[in-house]
Amino acid sequence: MSTALHPTGLPSLADIEAAAEVVYRAFPATPQYQWGLLSERLGTSCWLKHENHTPVGAFKIRGGLTYFDQLARRGELPHEVISATRGNHGQSIGWAARAHGVPCTIVVPHGNSTEKNAAMRCLGVNLIEHGDDFQAAREHAIALAQTRGAHMVPSFHPDLLRGVSTYWWEFLRAVPALDVVYVPIGQGSGACSAIAAKQALGHRVRIVGVVSAHATTYADSLAAGRVVEAPVSTVLADGMACRVADAAALAVLGPGLDHLVQVTDAEVAQAMRALFTDTHNVAEGAGAAALAAALQERSTLRGQTVGLALSGGNVDAGVMAGVLGSA
């Protein structure tokens, strides 16, 4: 299936509102809180959107729900779906596939999060381990889908953006005074959906993309104006561990982002500790990246209302213990 956007561009306000009806059949809108200690740490008013409070602990479930809803509406539910993931996208597709009675196979790289793997299996997913990184797993999933005649669910697609946009739509409506938001970039659905919600609502918020300094394909590609493959060495931010950027996502991110921030694993670990200390919420590496970027730019944020996405909380217990213990 092509990952090109619809001819009309990003999801419209009507698209997002219709997607919200689909999402809310599975769970309610997630909360956003103005945590006092977090605002104090950042030196300005800060709101945190809790996408770690969905049924799979991450924002991705919204996209899976609307992707399958669109397949069903078109009468195109397949006999099997296959996809690739580092964990949260796979849980999203596994959840939605189970709800529609469609068998689901997910490919993950070797050494993937054991707890994310367990969560996917619990949803009835047939889990396959292949390759050393996400790109290798993705390429194997594509080949497997072709061999089996199965439907390959991409990581970036307009029908995924429909659902993911609902969380930014919620956030911008709940806190209309937001001046700037920080959003992590894995394959791009989260940041592109923030841009979609901003445009749909006519909001003035500035959107800052966040990438791992150890996985720079999006930073390099945006700078070059074309897809540039980059090595991945992050050991903490697996949700951002992409080697090859998506061209369709780049087309949205280029004009839609205010700027881009790169965060190191050390900065991500610091942000994970800060979120636990200030809010007693657990964040996975990618889930803490927004705060890591905001802390990096702290001196420029005084007097502004900042929005952060805690995009996921699915971190292995041992990893979290190590992060907390390294303070």
Side-chain angles (χ1 to χ4, degrees), residues 23 59-68 92-93 159-164:
V23 170
F59 75 93
K60 292 282 191 178
I61 187 173
R62 297 172 182 266
L65 290 168
T66 52
Y67 189 92
F68 273 79
S92 166
I93 300 308
D159 292 339
L160 296 171
L161 296 187
R162 271 177 184 266
V164 177

Side-chain angles (χ1 to χ4, degrees), residues 5-25:
L5 292 173
H6 290 307
T8 53
L10 292 171
S12 67
L13 182 59
D15 291 333
I16 297 171
E17 290 172 342
E21 294 182 11
V22 175
V23 170
Y24 297 159
R25 290 200 291 264

Side-chain angles (χ1 to χ4, degrees), residues 55-58 85-92 106 108-125 127 129 238 272 282-285 312-322:
V56 301
T85 190
R86 289 303 304 264
N88 291 336
H89 173 70
Q91 287 188 73
S92 166
I106 299 291
V108 301
H110 292 291
N112 199 51
S113 161
T114 57
E115 292 177 23
K116 286 180 179 176
N117 287 355
M120 285 184 279
R121 290 191 178 101
C122 188
L123 293 170
V125 165
L127 198 75
E129 296 181 78
D238 59 351
M272 291 169 71
V282 171
E284 60 188 279
N314 297 321
V315 56
D316 286 2
V319 172
M320 190 67 196

Side-chain angles (χ1 to χ4, degrees), residues 127-142:
L127 198 75
I128 296 175
E129 296 181 78
H130 181 91
D132 295 327
D133 65 4
F134 167 76
Q135 185 64 24
R138 175 180 176 271
E139 290 168 3
H140 184 69
I142 292 171

